[in-house]
């Protein structure tokens, strides 16, 4: 019919980025639909949404040109249409609030920018939950506004919220552009905050030490370990001078320094700092404390035979992992993520000793806990499936190995998408088993190929 023809012509013009012509034809289509069906019809709503989307596209074009008044006009027209069709609590409405907020930000109207971006955030949180990329983007945008207002502590707070979500979604993938940008922004905000604190508080203040730790953590996450060490040691010097040798904060910094040495492959130095931390924690907290368990875990990691080029002492690794597990069970109970992590660590040592039955026992204990806490679609569950698959592969039970590798792949794809190192790892695991079985890509069925 005529209305559909107008609609299709509008879509064509929209694809060609000729938005005025697209609007002209979408409005012609809407006028006919209104005359036939009235306001309350799904096809009428669809036509309105098309018009709203064109206003959004136009807004982006004007915004990129720096024509902010025109961009604002388009975004507000789009918002009005979306509100009339979708109501207040819809992601598309949140998108419009965010767009308007960004334009206000570009115009230097920071209070209005905050007002609209916070409206957007509220909707995203109510619909999408805390752990979603759009929520991360909102936090990042709010941080940018506070940065422009010179409120660096608030800017850092929102930047770190955004970064936390991105890490949970993407993992600590240092090469991912979104994470790299967030780390660099966190570094920028911390350095601005440090400059102010040094000028007001002087060099030997706990708040300055805290900023040094933040900066050290960012450098650590960026893989710039020498810079990380520099800032952790600056923080340690202040903490020691203020708090003395036997303080939990000093123990925590020793862990940070130990972690950096571990990342650098300097395992003897890592062990030195982990043991310093453990000594303090035992002195202050006693044997039965989660922080002591964490220290045992760190020391076990140094001895862990699965880490390339470390100290490779099975018995010592097992000793410390079992100490950690004992504490965690007594404090946290049987159904806790940290207990699952301990089972995972012990299972890994058994696998290295080719004690596959024991390895499976502990990996499956870990999996059971993770499933009960996180459900099926969680990265830790995917890791457990991966661990179990590798044991079955070592036992030459290739069908079972494939079963678990595919389970891991499905979860990782749903969480991370195709372009993630963990997804690539799952694909490699599956391909390695197919090669052992003498199965080539050419002989794989459609179902198997879709998994890969």
């Amino acid at each position: 019919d005529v209305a559909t023809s107008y609609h299709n012509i509008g879509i064509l013009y929209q694809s060609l980025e000729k938005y005025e012509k697209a609007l002209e034809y979408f409005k012609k289509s809407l006028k006919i639909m209104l005359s036939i069906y009235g306001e309350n019809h799904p096809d009428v709503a669809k036509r309105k949404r098309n018009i709203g989307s064109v206003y959004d596209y136009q807004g982006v074009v004007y915004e990129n040109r720096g024509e902010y008044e025109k961009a604002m006009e388009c975004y507000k027209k789009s918002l009005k249409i979306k509100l009339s069709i979708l109501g207040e609590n819809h992601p598309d409405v949140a998108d419009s609030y965010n767009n308007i907020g960004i334009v206000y930000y570009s115009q230097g109207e920071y209070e209005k920018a905050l007002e609209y971006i916070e409206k957007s955030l509220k909707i995203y949180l109510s619909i999408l939950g805390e752990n979603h990329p759009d929520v991360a983007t909102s936090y990042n945008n709010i941080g940018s506004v506070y940065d422009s207002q010179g409120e660096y502590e608030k800017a850092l707070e929102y930047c770190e919220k955004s970064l936390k979500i991105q890490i949970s979604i993407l993992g600590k993938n240092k090469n991912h552009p979104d994470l790299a940008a967030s780390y660099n922004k966190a570094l920028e905000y911390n350095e601005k905050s440090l400059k102010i604190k040094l000028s007001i508080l002087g060099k030997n203040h706990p708040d300055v030490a805290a900023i040094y730790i933040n900066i050290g953590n960012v450098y650590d996450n960026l893989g710039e370990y020498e810079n990380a060490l520099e800032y952790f040691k600056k923080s340690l010097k202040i903490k020691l001078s203020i708090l003395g040798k036997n303080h939990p904060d000093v123990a925590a910094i020793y862990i940070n320094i130990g972690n950096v040495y571990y990342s650098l492959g300097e395992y003897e130095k890592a062990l030195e700092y982990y043991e310093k931390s453990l000594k303090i924690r035992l002195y202050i907290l006693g044997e039965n404390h989660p922080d002591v368990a964490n220290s045992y875990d760190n020391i076990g990691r140094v001895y862990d035979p699965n880490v390339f080029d470390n100290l490779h002492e099975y018995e010592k690794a097992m000793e410390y992992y079992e100490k950690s597990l004992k504490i965690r069970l007594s404090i946290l109970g049987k159904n806790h993520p940290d207990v699952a992590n301990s089972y995972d660590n012990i299972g890994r040592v058994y696998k290295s000793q080719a004690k596959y039955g024991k390895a499976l026992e502990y990996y499956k204990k870990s999996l059971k806990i993770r499933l009960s806490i996180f459900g099926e679609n969680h990265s830790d569950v995917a890791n457990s499936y991966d661990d179990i698959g590798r044991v079955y592969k070592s036992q030459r039970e290739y069908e079972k190995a494939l079963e678990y590798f595919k389970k891991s792949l499905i979860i990782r794809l749903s969480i991370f998408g195709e372009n993630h190192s963990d997804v690539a790892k799952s694909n490699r695991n599956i391909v390695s088993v197919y090669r052992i079985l003498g199965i080539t890509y050419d002989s794989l069925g459609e179902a198997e190929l879709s998994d890969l």
Side-chain angles (χ1 to χ4, degrees):
D1 57 24
V2 176
T4 302
S5 294
Y6 283 144
H7 175 258
N8 291 338
I9 293 169
I11 289 172
L12 177 61
Y13 277 122
Q14 181 176 302
S15 68
L16 295 170
E17 298 184 8
K18 296 183 177 181
Y19 299 122
E20 292 298 334
K21 296 295 287 184
L23 278 173
E24 176 188 338
Y25 281 91
F26 281 146
K27 286 178 178 179
K28 284 181 178 180
S29 178
L30 174 62
K31 186 176 180 180
I32 296 169
M33 299 297 284
L34 280 168
S35 68
I36 298 170
Y37 299 116
E39 286 281 349
N40 300 315
H41 192 275
D43 287 346
V44 170
K46 183 179 178 182
R47 298 299 189 269
K48 287 183 177 180
R49 288 185 76 170
N50 285 333
I51 293 170
S53 69
V54 175
Y55 283 132
D56 279 334
Y57 288 127
Q58 272 191 313
V60 170
V61 172
Y62 286 130
E63 189 180 341
N64 290 336
R65 291 178 187 165
E67 298 180 47
Y68 298 124
E69 292 300 332
K70 287 183 178 179
M72 184 71 78
E73 181 184 347
C74 289
Y75 287 146
K76 286 189 172 179
K77 282 179 178 178
S78 176
L79 174 62
K80 186 176 179 181
I81 292 168
K82 289 174 183 177
L83 284 169
S84 70
I85 301 167
L86 306 170
E88 179 72 29
N89 206 44
H90 193 279
D92 289 356
V93 173
D95 292 344
S96 286
Y97 283 137
N98 184 68
N99 291 339
I100 292 167
I102 295 300
V103 174
Y104 276 129
Y105 171 73
S106 299
Q107 291 177 306
E109 297 190 44
Y110 300 128
E111 293 303 325
K112 284 187 177 178
L114 276 177
E115 176 191 343
Y116 278 88
I117 297 171
E118 285 174 348
K119 280 184 179 181
S120 176
L121 173 62
K122 186 177 178 182
I123 297 169
Y124 286 142
L125 283 168
S126 70
I127 298 168
L128 307 172
E130 179 71 33
N131 206 43
H132 192 276
D134 289 346
V135 173
T137 299
S138 289
Y139 283 141
N140 188 62
N141 290 341
I142 291 170
S144 296
V145 177
Y146 279 127
D147 177 48
S148 297
Q149 290 179 307
E151 296 191 41
Y152 302 125
E153 292 295 325
K154 285 186 177 178
L156 182 59
E157 175 191 343
Y158 281 92
C159 177
E160 288 177 341
K161 283 183 177 183
S162 176
L163 184 56
K164 184 179 178 182
I165 296 168
Q166 290 183 63
I167 290 170
S168 73
I169 295 168
L170 301 170
K172 287 191 174 183
N173 182 357
K174 297 178 180 69
N175 296 320
H176 195 284
D178 290 348
L179 274 180
S182 291
Y183 283 134
N184 285 322
K185 187 167 281 190
L187 187 60
E188 176 191 340
Y189 293 158
N190 272 300
E191 286 174 343
K192 287 177 177 178
S193 183
L194 174 63
K195 187 175 180 181
I196 293 168
K197 286 186 184 295
L198 283 169
S199 67
I200 297 169
L201 304 171
K203 293 180 179 180
N204 204 45
H205 192 278
D207 288 357
V208 172
I211 293 291
Y212 283 145
I213 290 171
N214 288 344
I215 294 173
N217 282 328
V218 175
Y219 278 127
D220 187 17
N221 286 315
L222 287 168
E224 298 184 30
Y225 299 123
E226 296 300 333
N227 286 332
L229 273 180
E230 177 191 344
Y231 281 92
F232 286 146
K233 288 184 176 180
K234 282 182 178 182
S235 179
L236 176 62
K237 186 177 179 181
I238 296 169
K239 293 283 188 180
L240 285 169
S241 69
I242 297 169
L243 303 171
K245 293 180 179 180
N246 287 317
H247 193 278
D249 288 358
V250 174
I253 298 174
Y254 283 144
I255 292 290
N256 289 339
I257 294 171
N259 288 342
V260 175
Y261 279 125
Y262 182 88
S263 297
L264 286 167
E266 297 187 39
Y267 299 113
E268 295 287 354
K269 284 188 176 178
L271 187 60
E272 175 191 341
Y273 280 91
Y274 289 151
E275 287 178 341
K276 283 182 178 183
S277 176
L278 174 62
K279 186 178 178 181
I280 295 168
R281 287 173 169 176
L282 284 169
Y283 178 77
I284 298 168
L285 305 169
E287 178 70 33
N288 208 41
H289 192 278
D291 287 351
V292 173
N294 293 342
S295 284
Y296 285 141
D297 244 19
N298 289 326
I299 294 171
R301 201 160 56 108
V302 174
Y303 291 118
D304 195 316
N306 290 274
V307 180
F308 177 75
D309 199 32
N310 68 355
L311 303 185
H312 290 188
E313 297 198 33
Y314 297 91
E315 296 305 323
K316 284 189 176 179
M318 187 68 81
E319 174 192 345
Y320 283 98
Y321 285 150
E322 286 181 340
K323 282 183 176 182
S324 177
L325 173 62
K326 185 178 177 182
I327 295 168
R328 286 170 172 171
L329 283 170
S330 69
I331 298 169
L332 305 171
K334 294 180 179 179
N335 206 46
H336 191 278
D338 287 352
V339 172
N341 292 340
S342 285
Y343 285 140
D344 200 56
N345 290 337
I346 293 169
R348 193 168 60 248
V349 177
Y350 277 128
K351 182 181 180 296
S352 296
Q353 294 175 301
K355 296 179 180 179
Y356 299 128
K358 296 294 287 184
L360 278 177
E361 176 189 339
Y362 280 87
Y363 281 149
K364 287 184 176 181
K365 282 182 178 183
S366 178
L367 173 63
K368 186 178 179 181
I369 295 169
R370 288 169 173 173
L371 283 169
S372 70
I373 296 170
F374 302 126
E376 181 71 30
N377 204 45
H378 191 276
S379 58
D380 285 356
V381 172
N383 293 340
S384 285
Y385 285 139
D386 191 72
D387 290 334
I388 293 168
R390 284 187 291 110
V391 176
Y392 280 127
K393 182 183 173 186
S394 297
Q395 290 181 306
R396 301 183 182 182
E397 295 189 45
Y398 299 122
E399 292 302 326
K400 285 186 177 179
L402 275 176
E403 175 191 343
Y404 281 90
F405 286 150
K406 286 178 180 181
K407 284 182 177 182
S408 179
L409 174 63
I410 289 165
I411 296 169
R412 286 169 171 172
L413 280 169
S414 71
I415 297 171
F416 302 126
E418 292 183 1
N419 299 315
H420 191 273
S421 57
D422 284 355
V423 172
K425 179 181 172 184
S426 286
N427 283 329
R428 285 196 300 272
N429 287 335
I430 293 168
V431 169
S432 71
V433 176
Y434 280 134
R435 283 175 178 162
I436 292 167
L437 294 172
I439 300 171
T440 64
Y441 283 105
D442 292 339
S443 62
L444 288 176
E446 192 173 309
E448 286 90 347
L449 282 171
S450 68
D451 281 345
L452 299 176

